[in-house]
Amino acid sequence: MRTICLALLAGLLLQAAPALAAPLDAAGMKALLEKLDDRQRNSGDYKSLVFIEQKEKGKSDLVYEAVIYRRDEDDKLMILFIKPKSEAGKGYLRLDKNLFMYDPSIGKWDRRTERERIGGTNSQRSDFDESRLAEEFDPEYLGEEKLGKFTTHHLKLKAKTDADVAYPVIEMWIDQETSNILKQQEFAVSGRLMRTSYYPKWGKIFSESKGEEIFFPKEIRIFDELEKGKSTTIVMLKVDLAPLPANIFTKAWLESKSR
């Protein structure tokens, strides 16, 4: 599996080559962002087991396992670390657009920003949460481009004034045939490139509550553009759409998992 992923990633890493094509107009870009959001959003609950590997030059690799809980209709998200033992019970909870982190070693909650590095890795809340591209960004069409063997829409997204997002500008390459996001780059206010992410594999699962399949990135490879040699790989090991307990998205519930 890893060999196949690396081969696909190598294809994505090929230099993007501009090509002539009719651009999407404003209505077409809006429809595309709405489609990207809808295909990843479940009308019921969402739970996934994720593997997170952090690589940093000169340091030992860090490996984590966590469980992601989502209730998209209420904009609720919880991340609970379960491995290694030293991190078990640590968690994040998003309530009313506020992100909180719980450290069981001191029994304390702290409010965190959208740029919080989840578990100290290159991953952020948005890597695990539902997609809100149409709600949070205004798109600009940069062109049709080849990304390896894929023909993509290359979009530039600028955050809306009232959006609370990690980075104000995102560039995104979307496969025209499957509508899968293949590559994403995030920029600071200064215009400096902060992160480059690749999405070599997408999965889908049928949602009984929605009555159709929902899509999720099976693997995300995130490269830190400030600290070269530092990268994070996220692998979705298992996705479950069964209803979750009603009271799960509370600080008390997360605290109970560390006792």
Side-chain angles (χ1 to χ4, degrees):
M1 171 182 163
R2 182 170 294 275
T3 302
I4 296 174
C5 291
L6 289 173
L8 180 54
L9 180 64
L12 294 178
L13 285 167
L14 291 175
Q15 180 67 38
L20 296 175
L24 291 176
D25 60 15
M29 289 187 286
K30 181 174 183 292
L32 179 57
L33 294 187
E34 290 174 344
K35 179 180 180 180
L36 293 174
D37 291 340
D38 182 68
R39 71 203 295 264
Q40 296 180 64
R41 182 176 295 142
N42 188 29
S43 58
D45 292 336
Y46 175 101
K47 175 183 175 183
S48 64
L49 175 64
V50 301
F51 167 87
I52 306 171
E53 183 182 56
Q54 173 84 1
K55 291 183 176 293
E56 187 170 357
K57 189 175 181 180
K59 296 184 178 181
S60 300
D61 294 349
L62 299 177
V63 177
Y64 304 97
E65 278 190 19
V67 183
I68 312 301
Y69 302 94
R70 278 176 22 201
R71 184 162 289 156
D72 293 347
E73 287 195 333
D74 295 334
D75 290 337
K76 291 180 178 176
L77 169 76
M78 180 182 289
I79 303 171
L80 174 64
F81 281 79
I82 57 175
K83 291 182 181 178
K85 188 176 181 179
S86 59
E87 297 294 316
K90 178 183 289 185
Y92 294 83
L93 179 62
R94 186 179 192 266
L95 291 173
D96 300 325
K97 298 184 178 180
N98 296 310
L99 182 66
F100 299 93
M101 189 201 81
Y102 179 67
D103 184 346
S105 65
I106 56 176
K108 183 180 177 183
W109 286 88
D110 285 320
R111 185 176 175 181
R112 299 303 174 100
T113 70
E114 286 297 309
R115 291 177 66 171
E116 167 77 0
R117 293 172 175 261
I118 300 299
T121 70
N122 293 112
S123 66
Q124 295 176 331
R125 188 274 307 165
S126 57
D127 297 314
F128 306 101
D129 209 348
E130 66 172 306
S131 177
R132 303 184 183 89
L133 295 173
E135 175 186 339
E136 296 176 333
F137 293 92
D138 292 316
E140 174 187 349
Y141 198 79
L142 297 184
E144 180 184 81
E145 292 183 1
K146 295 292 289 185
L147 191 64
K149 65 180 181 181
F150 302 97
T151 302
T152 72
H153 293 299
H154 182 187
L155 302 185
K156 183 176 185 178
L157 309 183
K158 294 184 179 179
K160 297 180 179 180
T161 54
D162 59 345
D164 186 13
V165 295
Y167 300 107
V169 176
I170 296 175
E171 290 194 23
M172 186 172 286
W173 288 257
I174 305 154
D175 182 20
Q176 292 187 7
E177 182 177 350
T178 63
S179 295
N180 290 335
I181 297 170
L182 300 179
K183 177 183 175 182
Q184 177 171 297
Q185 291 189 316
E186 293 156 299
F187 298 83
V189 175
S190 64
R192 185 168 188 176
L193 177 60
M194 305 297 287
R195 299 199 315 170
T196 297
S197 302
Y198 294 91
Y199 299 76
K201 298 186 74 175
W202 283 80
K204 56 185 177 181
I205 184 172
F206 185 79
S207 167
E208 294 288 346
S209 62
K210 192 174 183 179
E212 60 185 79
E213 293 174 324
I214 68 163
F215 292 74
F216 59 93
K218 294 183 71 174
E219 183 174 330
I220 308 173
R221 299 197 171 206
I222 305 165
F223 295 87
D224 193 318
E225 297 291 356
L226 296 183
E227 299 180 49
K228 295 297 183 182
K230 189 173 183 179
S231 65
T232 299
T233 299
I234 302 171
V235 178
M236 304 290 179
L237 299 173
K238 183 180 180 182
V239 174
D240 185 354
L241 304 181
L244 297 169
N247 65 341
I248 192 172
F249 295 97
T250 63
K251 291 182 177 180
W253 188 91
L254 197 152
E255 290 174 16
S256 72
K257 296 302 172 184
S258 64
R259 296 175 187 142

